[in-house]
Amino acid sequence: MARKPSKAFLFAKERHSKKRRNISRPGGIGKLSKNDLINILSRLTTKTILTCCCVCKSWRTLISDSEFANRHFERDHDQEQFVLRPDGPGSLSRTLILIDPDRLKPYAQFALPLNDQLPFSGIEVVNSCNGLLCLSSYLDKNPVLVCNPITREYINIPATHTDHQQERSLQAVASGLGFSLEGNQYKLLRIFDVGYGHGFDNLRSHGRQAEIYTLGKGSWRVIDQFPPRIPHSFLFGTYLKGTISWACAKDINDKFDFIISFNFDKEQFEFVSLPPYSAANHKGISDLRMQELGGFISVCDFYCAEYFDIWLMKDFGGKKKIWSKDYRIHMLHGKVHHPIRILNNEEILMIQGLNALVSYNHLRMKLRCHKIRGIQSNFGASIHIPSFVSLKDVVGVDEVEVLIVKVKCM
């Protein structure tokens, strides 16, 4: 004969049911207003907000509201986080894993979308901008998708324009997503070869052009102003504060000569000098690496076998740009180290080799290893600031598609 539940159990169950009804009811949680709820929830971490989406329908609706998304981003946009992308069987995986920057543990996993121009085995994450990711094919730098992995929304970008009358072929050599603060618009930039065929000889004969696409406007347009010095290669595309930059080589030897930047507000290019190291010692692209680090454009100088220096560009975006050599990191175990971000304790988080996450205290010259649960293969990493901004608010409802695969909390 089944035992009757105790009075204490029945009381606790009824109390729990009342709490759930109180949460779901419009007047619940102390009868807080919508603005008060947004003010409270927008202060939570991304991981906690993802959990709140599962509490009740009214909270999920509130978190999907554009007012909440904007408030959360205003408070969280300086909190750099990063994603790891593990290798899949024979290719890079579609999976991105979001890492808690304080505990250095994974807390969410999401999948990248696909379309006809983006095969499963060839997805390239071009860059991240305000929570949105720009994706291209691994072999072609033409941007074909923009997505928000948190909301699972994505849009298809129009295919490459071809001038059929002159039968010119266009091959993208660089691209990137950026945000224009003045116009409150997201824009895509692509730089491509113009001419009959490819190669540096063709580049000398026909040159390069740049086009820009404003999300929600529907078509590409040519940028009239293009640098007189035509770079041969664009590497390490880095987005920061309305500007995307590349380390460039002026000829086929792939020796870095300068940095070229594009401002999404002014829609103009400018040249930036490299740090004042001894350029004569550098043989090629393996000696340098450029990225965003600690809110600055940084260049890592790997010329010396025993250590590498990290240069930061101070006052970037202003009238005066000054390079400062802020860190010297001693090489460990003979492996290449790629810095990712500066942690709250001033340690520098890096990828060691291809499959180890480490943090380095440059004052004590000590290294700590961090194991990431669920990742057994090689992986890459990139800076990404999660955002709940809906692409529907950026481009309109009709253009946006939603990925079926849901975000998985870990």
Side-chain angles (χ1 to χ4, degrees):
M1 187 174 178
R3 292 180 57 188
K4 290 184 178 181
S6 65
K7 291 183 179 180
F9 174 79
L10 293 174
F11 176 77
K13 184 177 180 182
E14 177 63 20
R15 186 178 180 184
H16 178 70
S17 298
K18 286 181 179 180
K19 282 185 176 181
R20 289 188 62 85
R21 290 196 298 270
N22 192 44
I23 288 173
S24 301
R25 221 170 39 239
I29 316 182
K31 298 182 180 180
L32 294 175
S33 66
K34 174 185 174 182
N35 185 64
D36 289 336
L37 275 175
I38 288 177
N39 189 38
I40 293 171
L41 294 178
S42 63
R43 297 174 185 270
L44 301 177
T45 64
T46 303
K47 178 181 180 180
T48 305
I49 294 173
L50 289 173
T51 303
C52 289
C53 289
C54 304
V55 171
C56 61
K57 186 177 180 180
S58 61
W59 279 24
R60 186 166 61 250
T61 302
L62 182 70
I63 291 170
S64 301
D65 190 280
S66 60
E67 186 179 348
F68 170 84
N70 293 332
R71 190 89 61 88
H72 171 263
F73 185 75
E74 287 173 1
R75 287 183 171 143
D76 206 47
H77 77 280
D78 288 329
Q79 301 300 314
E80 285 184 355
Q81 299 186 33
F82 64 99
V83 290
L84 298 183
R85 187 181 181 191
D87 286 353
S91 65
L92 287 171
S93 170
R94 283 182 65 197
T95 301
L96 294 182
I97 298 175
L98 202 54
I99 305 297
D100 184 327
D102 297 320
R103 300 171 63 229
L104 294 180
K105 293 185 178 181
Y107 70 85
Q109 174 179 305
F110 42 83
L112 296 174
L114 301 173
N115 67 6
D116 294 338
Q117 301 177 63
L118 205 59
F120 180 85
S121 61
I123 307 173
E124 178 81 8
V125 178
V126 179
N127 73 302
S128 171
C129 172
N130 295 356
L132 304 183
L133 295 177
C134 175
L135 307 181
S136 73
S137 168
Y138 184 75
L139 298 176
D140 187 0
K141 300 302 181 183
N142 265 309
V144 296
L145 279 176
V146 171
C147 70
N148 185 336
I150 292 292
T151 64
R152 299 179 292 124
E153 299 170 335
Y154 67 96
I155 58 172
N156 295 292
I157 305 302
T160 303
H161 168 73
T162 302
D163 188 341
H164 295 287
Q165 294 181 348
Q166 299 185 29
E167 298 181 353
R168 294 184 301 176
S169 60
L170 307 183
Q171 181 186 26
V173 295
S175 61
L177 173 68
F179 182 71
S180 169
L181 186 61
E182 292 180 359
N184 194 30
Q185 296 172 322
Y186 288 90
K187 299 178 181 181
L188 281 165
L189 172 75
R190 68 179 176 202
I191 301 169
F192 52 86
D193 292 338
V194 179
Y196 304 91
H198 311 298
F200 195 57
D201 290 338
N202 170 73
L203 173 60
R204 292 179 186 276
S205 302
H206 302 281
R208 283 184 170 146
Q209 286 187 359
E211 286 185 336
I212 199 159
Y213 175 85
T214 302
L215 268 60
K217 299 299 182 182
S219 62
W220 292 89
R221 53 189 172 83
V222 175
I223 296 177
D224 295 329
Q225 185 265 351
F226 195 76
R229 287 187 288 170
I230 302 175
H232 173 263
S233 56
F234 295 76
L235 295 168
F236 308 126
T238 304
Y239 177 78
L240 178 66
K241 300 176 182 177
T243 301
I244 189 164
S245 305
W246 293 272
C248 297
K250 63 183 178 182
D251 54 42
I252 203 168
N253 67 13
D254 277 338
K255 183 178 178 181
F256 288 143
D257 295 291
F258 52 84
I259 294 172
I260 189 170
S261 298
F262 180 80
N263 185 298
F264 283 95
D265 277 334
K266 301 176 181 178
E267 296 189 359
Q268 292 179 352
F269 290 93
E270 71 169 319
F271 290 97
V272 181
S273 62
L274 286 169
Y277 49 71
S278 178
N281 293 331
H282 293 82
K283 302 289 190 296
I285 61 174
S286 61
D287 288 338
L288 294 176
R289 181 179 180 86
M290 190 177 80
Q291 71 227 351
E292 184 268 338
L293 188 67
F296 301 97
I297 293 287
S298 71
V299 169
C300 297
D301 180 1
F302 292 102
Y303 171 70
C304 182
E306 298 178 356
Y307 58 83
F308 67 92
D309 295 325
I310 301 179
W311 296 77
L312 301 182
M313 184 188 290
K314 303 296 179 69
D315 296 329
F316 186 79
K319 294 183 179 180
K320 191 174 183 179
K321 301 176 178 65
I322 302 174
W323 285 104
S324 172
K325 185 165 66 175
D326 282 29
Y327 303 98
R328 171 163 288 183
I329 298 179
H330 290 264
M331 302 287 271
L332 303 165
H333 311 300
K335 294 184 178 180
V336 176
H337 295 71
H338 292 161
I340 303 172
R341 71 186 303 268
I342 300 174
L343 302 176
N344 291 334
N345 60 5
E346 295 302 316
E347 292 185 356
I348 299 176
L349 188 68
M350 305 181 291
I351 293 181
Q352 184 185 65
L354 296 173
N355 55 10
L357 194 66
V358 300
S359 57
Y360 182 74
N361 187 314
H362 65 98
L363 297 178
R364 298 181 180 179
M365 296 173 56
K366 289 187 177 181
L367 184 80
R368 290 193 300 150
C369 295
H370 305 278
K371 291 185 178 180
I372 304 296
R373 176 171 52 89
I375 300 181
Q376 305 297 330
S377 62
N378 296 343
F379 56 83
S382 57
I383 292 295
H384 179 69
I385 302 175
S387 167
F388 292 87
V389 172
S390 172
L391 279 171
K392 295 175 183 177
D393 297 326
V394 177
V395 300
V397 177
D398 296 337
E399 297 184 46
V400 176
E401 299 183 50
V402 179
L403 196 63
I404 297 175
V405 181
K406 293 185 178 181
V407 176
K408 178 183 176 182
C409 294
M410 303 174 71

